[in-house]
Amino acid sequence: MNQLRNFITVTAFFFITSTAQIVSAETPKGYSGAELEGQKLNQELQFFNKTINSGDLQNINNLYNQFTNQLKATEVKIGQVSGASNRNKLNEKYVRPAKIAVERTIYEISQLRLLKSIERSINQKQLVIAESDTAKLGRLINRAEEIKEIGGYVSLPKTINMSLRENEALVQGALLNERLTEYNSVISKANLEQLNDLYDNFTKQVRITEQKIGQVAGSQKRRNFNNSYVGPAKIAKERTIYEISQFRLMSRIESDIQKTTSEKFTSDLAVLNRLVNRSKEIKRDGNYQQLPEEITATLEGKRYYLTYLYQDATNTLDPNNPEHMFPRLAELKMKWNALSEASKRDMIMKDAWTLQSETKYPGYLPKHLGFLYHLTGDSQYKEMTKETVALLNKYYLKNGRLKSPEYQKTGWWYRDPFARDLNGLYEAYKYTQLPEIIDFIDNQAALWMSQVPRQSNNGFTIYPYGISDGGKIGSAEINPNQNIQVATLFSNLYWEPESKFYKNPTLKDIVYNEVNAVLSLQKENGSLPLRENLPLVEDTNYGGYTGNMLYQLAQIWGNPAWIESTIELGNWLFHEYSMNHPWNTPEDAPNYHFDRMNSFNLISRVLLFYAAGIPEQYVKNWIRFSEDRFPEEELYLLERWYFYKSVPRDYLNNDISIMNQLPPRIYSDASSDLTSVRIVGETISSANVTVTNSLTNETVATFNVSGDNQKSFPLPIGEYVINIEATEANGKTTTDSQKLSLSQEQTYSINVVLFDQHNRFYQKMK
């Protein structure tokens, strides 16, 4: 019995063991695990398909990552199953149906997610990125249509595409709203150039928005979207389309001005006028909100500017009309009153010739505006000069110091911009006689004198390079053009009766120290170095610039040494720098610092040539050489040396006929034994000196001035008035006087030095 039980047990064990071995041999490795993941995927698929069929794209999106993760997990498990046929069977059973579901929805999910990304970019004001992704979305939609058609997939419920198109329209509408806000902001700022830059993309976004709204289901919904997004944008477009068209037409005319014909120019202007008239009609009929006046003024000024450009291009330029040579300022005059204070504030920091790039020297603009007022008599230029100075005072004083934004960034108040800007303002004052200008200059000069201590150098007491915002004082290195600039400013104030510094002896001391410090660097050949610490660099550019100011100072003070130095500078520039080698080049090292190859380098020498007595024909050849070398620049000679007076207009340009409209200038000072007088004019037609007894009104001496004169005569004890009168060829007369008190009889001298076109510097050295 026991043997039978043992047999059965052994037999059963053998059977069970054999069966297990058989099953193990029939089930591939990893198959069970793959089956388990496949069943999970199948369950996910059923739920995912059910969600697809519901047509709710947001729910599909919520399930998508979980579903695709399960798909990847299943693919991994199946990849571990041995036997290709086994893997194929499992893939066909589980993976393929899941991938079909993915392929049916992947592009819609991608669209939805890209739309969310675009929306985030819009909220973060990253509009360029949003627009780039919008273009990407368009490509994604097109690709989806191609794939669905090729793959033959069962179509998704219509509600999915409907929700996508509606979402797309809403996101695009939000993008358009941001561009509209930007566009309207630029309209309010009246920045026509920036508006032109924005216009094409703005109108492109309007078209895209219309297109996307057109794909939204439901006519009422499309109307609502259009009213919310497209309507306001189209109003902004209609408000500006004709102004943009005018701007672009005028820009095209300007670029073609050199090759245009009279007929073409007339035709273009006719088109422009039709645009202007059509704009007025559209604005009136459509009841659109008016654009800022500044935009209209900008367009009017640009039309004005085009006329002058055309006249210049067709050689109809009138050299006696300064507006032809300052077309940008003439254009600015046309729109000035319509500009906001903020626009004017920014405008006065533009280059005074082009009104384009930023300037380091805001003193040039009021100088040019004042000059235009002086010659044209147009009071608008005077008003612009006045406002410009007020704006400088309001916006561009840092710690009370006038500085352009560029110099404010340096953290220094340098002597060069300090003096250069105030000298420009002083010229503006002489042209306009606006008292607020001389007050502004006086205040800045007083601030400089109180804050910047003079220093000793080479035996002279001069101003250093400047003072930092933190109070650090710069080097006192002699820099000819800068020291002469400072001397010119304080000389102007010393001789200005309306300045609080009039005849202040400290200013005279400043002038003499600054000028003589510069001339201590002058070499035997007449040249000046670029700087004290660069003695080998004979700088042609600043040689002319410095010499121009030295010319003025020599006239004002009548100093023989300064007159002689001016002549030497002129001879050096003329004889050592010919037209074949007009400036220093790297090959001239060490007599070279950096390139100064520009029109000013050439033209600034002409005044010095005049002083040195270089024959007129040679100088006029040099002017033509300058014009030919830089044909794109207008060398407006009427203003170049106008302020110095003693260079006649026709010497500079035979076509200039205007006489000097500034009256002659008389500079006189008296001591106990001598009265020194300098008379400066273009052509002094008559001048005389009269000495009168103050008590009896008796004339005790008188003489007419013809050239340089020195008269000596006995004067008894008494009180006297010395009267000087000079008349310019245009009839303008200037008078000056000095009081004299003598406590004993003596011989008294009056020395008169005359500077005009018949009494030139070089003639005084004979």
Side-chain angles (χ1 to χ4, degrees):
M1 192 67 171
N2 287 334
Q3 290 179 340
L4 178 61
R5 279 199 301 270
N6 290 338
F7 173 78
I8 294 171
T9 301
V10 172
T11 303
F13 176 78
F14 175 79
F15 177 78
I16 292 170
T17 303
S18 299
T19 303
Q21 290 174 343
I22 293 170
V23 170
S24 176
E26 291 179 352
T27 304
K29 181 182 177 181
Y31 197 92
S32 298
E35 270 283 354
L36 183 60
E37 289 298 328
Q39 289 170 7
K40 291 179 183 178
L41 177 60
N42 193 49
Q43 290 176 351
E44 294 276 359
L45 174 60
Q46 291 177 31
F47 189 55
F48 192 69
N49 279 332
K50 183 179 179 181
T51 306
I52 292 175
N53 293 334
S54 73
D56 190 328
L57 184 60
Q58 189 58 58
N59 284 339
I60 299 171
N61 178 64
N62 294 338
L63 294 175
Y64 186 83
N65 286 353
Q66 178 181 328
F67 177 62
T68 54
N69 287 339
Q70 183 59 50
L71 173 58
K72 291 174 186 174
T74 303
E75 286 185 294
V76 170
K77 286 292 186 180
I78 292 175
Q80 296 170 352
V81 174
S82 60
S85 62
N86 294 324
R87 293 193 297 273
N88 289 339
K89 180 180 178 181
L90 289 169
N91 277 322
E92 187 68 21
K93 181 178 180 181
Y94 297 114
V95 173
R96 185 172 181 275
K99 283 196 170 182
I100 289 174
V102 169
E103 292 294 334
R104 286 182 69 200
T105 58
I106 186 171
Y107 284 100
E108 284 69 22
I109 296 299
S110 298
Q111 291 177 52
L112 179 65
R113 293 183 178 183
L114 185 53
L115 282 168
K116 290 182 181 295
S117 176
I118 294 171
E119 190 173 16
R120 284 193 298 273
S121 296
I122 294 169
N123 292 335
Q124 295 167 5
K125 311 300 182 186
Q126 296 176 331
L127 304 186
V128 174
I129 295 175
E131 288 170 352
S132 175
D133 285 345
T134 298
K136 187 188 299 182
L137 177 64
R139 294 192 295 272
L140 188 61
I141 293 170
N142 294 334
R143 183 60 177 155
E145 292 174 355
E146 294 172 3
I147 292 295
K148 297 293 178 67
E149 183 177 348
I150 294 171
Y153 297 107
V154 177
S155 297
L156 296 173
K158 291 183 178 180
T159 54
I160 290 179
N161 186 63
M162 289 169 59
S163 66
L164 271 176
R165 301 294 70 82
E166 183 173 329
N167 196 355
E168 184 183 8
L170 287 170
V171 171
Q172 177 62 33
L175 175 57
L176 179 60
N177 265 350
E178 291 296 330
R179 286 303 188 192
L180 174 61
T181 299
E182 175 187 50
Y183 197 73
N184 281 332
S185 173
V186 176
I187 291 176
S188 66
K189 294 175 184 176
N191 190 327
L192 189 56
E193 290 192 12
Q194 189 178 353
L195 207 60
N196 176 63
D197 292 339
L198 294 177
Y199 182 82
D200 287 340
N201 185 59
F202 174 64
T203 54
K204 176 184 177 181
Q205 296 307 316
V206 174
R207 292 193 300 272
I208 292 173
T209 307
E210 282 188 294
Q211 177 188 9
K212 292 185 184 297
I213 290 175
Q215 297 171 351
V216 172
S219 59
Q220 184 59 49
K221 188 170 288 187
R222 290 194 295 273
R223 278 194 296 273
N224 292 340
F225 284 4
N226 276 316
N227 290 338
S228 296
Y229 302 119
V230 176
K234 279 194 169 182
I235 288 173
K237 173 187 174 183
E238 291 296 327
R239 285 180 69 199
T240 57
I241 185 171
Y242 285 97
E243 284 70 21
I244 297 297
S245 298
Q246 292 174 54
F247 182 86
R248 292 183 175 183
L249 175 58
M250 285 190 282
S251 297
R252 195 265 300 160
I253 295 172
E254 182 177 349
S255 66
D256 295 340
I257 203 78
Q258 295 295 330
K259 56 186 179 183
T260 194
T261 63
S262 176
E263 295 77 12
K264 185 70 169 65
F265 186 72
T266 302
S267 173
D268 287 339
L269 289 185
V271 174
L272 185 59
N273 289 332
R274 288 196 293 272
L275 281 173
V276 173
N277 294 332
R278 184 59 179 153
S279 175
K280 293 176 181 177
E281 294 171 3
I282 291 292
K283 302 295 173 61
R284 183 185 64 247
D285 296 342
N287 198 27
Y288 293 108
Q289 180 184 356
Q290 289 295 314
L291 294 173
E293 289 184 1
E294 292 178 46
I295 289 180
T296 302
T298 297
L299 290 170
E300 289 178 355
K302 196 168 181 64
R303 287 198 296 274
Y304 186 81
Y305 175 57
L306 281 178
T307 301
Y308 283 114
L309 282 183
Y310 179 70
Q311 290 174 334
D312 187 16
T314 53
N315 298 316
T316 59
L317 177 68
D318 178 1
N320 298 295
N321 183 351
E323 286 191 314
H324 285 187
M325 299 309 298
F326 290 94
R328 287 295 188 186
L329 297 187
E331 174 190 358
L332 182 61
K333 180 189 70 172
M334 297 292 291
K335 63 181 181 180
W336 182 261
N337 289 335
L339 296 179
S340 65
E341 182 172 301
S343 295
K344 293 176 181 177
R345 175 200 64 202
D346 297 339
M347 185 64 68
I348 65 173
M349 280 299 148
K350 299 294 184 184
D351 175 78
W353 291 94
T354 65
L355 298 183
Q356 298 296 318
S357 59
E358 300 298 314
T359 183
K360 295 193 296 184
Y361 303 110
Y364 282 111
L365 180 60
K367 168 186 170 179
H368 295 329
L369 291 172
F371 180 69
L372 285 169
Y373 164 70
H374 169 67
L375 287 185
T376 66
D378 189 331
S379 61
Q380 177 71 5
Y381 288 121
K382 183 176 183 179
E383 185 59 32
M384 291 168 71
T385 308
K386 182 177 181 179
E387 286 191 59
T388 297
V389 175
L391 290 167
L392 291 176
N393 195 45
K394 183 174 181 179
Y395 292 109
Y396 294 105
L397 298 186
K398 184 177 182 182
N399 299 325
R401 306 163 179 173
L402 173 63
K403 290 194 289 184
S404 67
E406 181 170 339
Y407 275 118
Q408 287 187 20
K409 292 175 185 175
T410 68
W412 281 81
W413 195 19
Y414 289 116
R415 63 188 175 190
D416 172 49
F418 157 72
R420 192 187 297 228
D421 285 335
L422 295 187
N423 279 323
L425 285 165
Y426 181 73
E427 287 197 38
Y429 168 71
K430 296 304 287 185
Y431 293 135
T432 63
Q433 295 297 309
L434 288 166
E436 52 265 55
I437 300 182
I438 198 66
D439 290 343
F440 183 89
I441 298 170
D442 278 349
N443 291 336
Q444 287 293 299
L447 192 64
W448 176 271
M449 293 170 69
S450 68
Q451 295 184 354
V452 185
R454 297 164 71 193
Q455 299 180 20
S456 178
N457 185 354
N458 203 25
F460 303 97
T461 306
I462 62 173
Y463 279 111
Y465 273 112
I467 184 171
S468 74
D469 292 345
K472 182 180 179 181
I473 303 301
S475 161
E477 180 192 13
I478 301 171
N479 184 313
N481 85 86
Q482 296 188 11
N483 293 92
I484 287 287
Q485 188 81 256
V486 170
T488 300
L489 169 63
F490 287 110
S491 179
N492 286 332
L493 295 180
Y494 179 88
W495 290 106
E496 176 50 56
E498 299 305 318
S499 170
K500 66 182 180 183
F501 294 107
Y502 182 55
K503 297 291 183 75
N504 184 319
T506 299
L507 269 66
K508 182 175 182 178
D509 182 68
I510 291 171
V511 172
Y512 269 76
N513 272 275
E514 297 285 345
V515 174
N516 289 331
V518 169
L519 297 183
S520 72
L521 303 182
Q522 192 169 26
K523 301 177 184 179
E524 289 186 4
N525 66 352
S527 69
L528 282 171
L530 178 62
R531 291 173 15 215
E532 178 185 1
N533 293 336
L534 289 173
L536 297 180
V537 182
E538 299 174 347
D539 186 59
T540 58
N541 191 63
Y542 282 119
Y545 182 52
T546 302
N548 284 192
M549 291 181 285
L550 181 61
Y551 182 99
Q552 181 184 9
L553 291 166
Q555 291 183 144
I556 291 174
W557 296 94
N559 187 296
W562 299 358
I563 293 172
E564 184 174 2
S565 289
T566 307
I567 294 170
E568 290 174 354
L569 266 173
N571 280 317
W572 163 63
L573 285 168
F574 183 78
H575 293 295
E576 296 200 23
Y577 288 93
S578 66
M579 295 179 187
N580 294 326
H581 186 228
W583 39 53
N584 298 335
T585 64
E587 290 72 26
D588 297 312
N591 184 17
Y592 174 80
H593 189 52
F594 53 83
D595 289 337
R596 301 182 189 277
M597 300 173 186
N598 51 52
S599 62
F600 179 78
N601 191 329
L602 302 181
I603 209 69
S604 65
R605 309 175 196 185
V606 172
L607 186 63
L608 298 173
F609 294 166
Y610 184 75
I614 304 301
E616 181 175 325
Q617 189 55 51
Y618 290 124
V619 183
K620 291 193 173 182
N621 288 342
W622 188 267
I623 292 174
R624 282 194 294 273
F625 169 67
S626 305
E627 293 172 329
D628 292 342
R629 187 73 184 245
F630 298 95
E632 74 284 359
E633 296 187 27
E634 297 291 354
L635 303 178
Y636 186 35
L637 301 176
L638 180 59
E639 192 202 29
R640 285 290 183 186
W641 301 282
Y642 189 87
F643 205 67
Y644 304 138
K645 294 181 62 64
S646 54
V647 182
R649 303 286 81 80
D650 59 1
Y651 177 82
L652 305 173
N653 185 334
N654 290 330
D655 296 325
I656 295 177
S657 59
I658 192 168
M659 293 298 293
N660 196 325
Q661 293 182 354
L662 282 171
R665 296 178 191 169
I666 301 175
Y667 305 93
S668 67
D669 39 26
S671 64
S672 59
D673 59 354
L674 172 69
T675 290
S676 176
V677 180
R678 281 83 61 200
I679 299 174
V680 182
E682 182 176 331
T683 306
I684 300 299
S685 60
S686 65
N688 60 78
V689 178
T690 303
V691 182
T692 304
N693 187 300
S694 301
L695 296 178
T696 65
N697 288 328
E698 177 187 2
T699 298
V700 296
T702 183
F703 63 93
N704 293 322
V705 176
S706 56
D708 299 342
N709 295 89
Q710 180 165 346
K711 298 290 185 180
S712 299
F713 42 85
L715 281 180
I717 298 171
E719 304 291 327
Y720 300 94
V721 176
I722 301 172
N723 293 301
I724 309 107
E725 181 178 272
T727 302
E728 183 65 86
N730 64 359
K732 293 199 172 184
T733 297
T734 299
T735 60
D736 192 24
S737 65
Q738 292 288 339
K739 291 183 179 180
L740 179 65
S741 179
L742 297 182
S743 58
Q744 62 182 22
E745 183 177 350
Q746 67 181 71
T747 298
Y748 196 80
S749 298
I750 298 177
N751 184 40
V752 181
V753 181
L754 184 62
F755 296 91
D756 71 355
Q757 64 172 305
H758 302 301
N759 295 270
R760 294 162 63 177
F761 278 30
Y762 76 97
Q763 294 169 317
K764 300 180 186 305
M765 303 308 297
K766 294 181 179 179

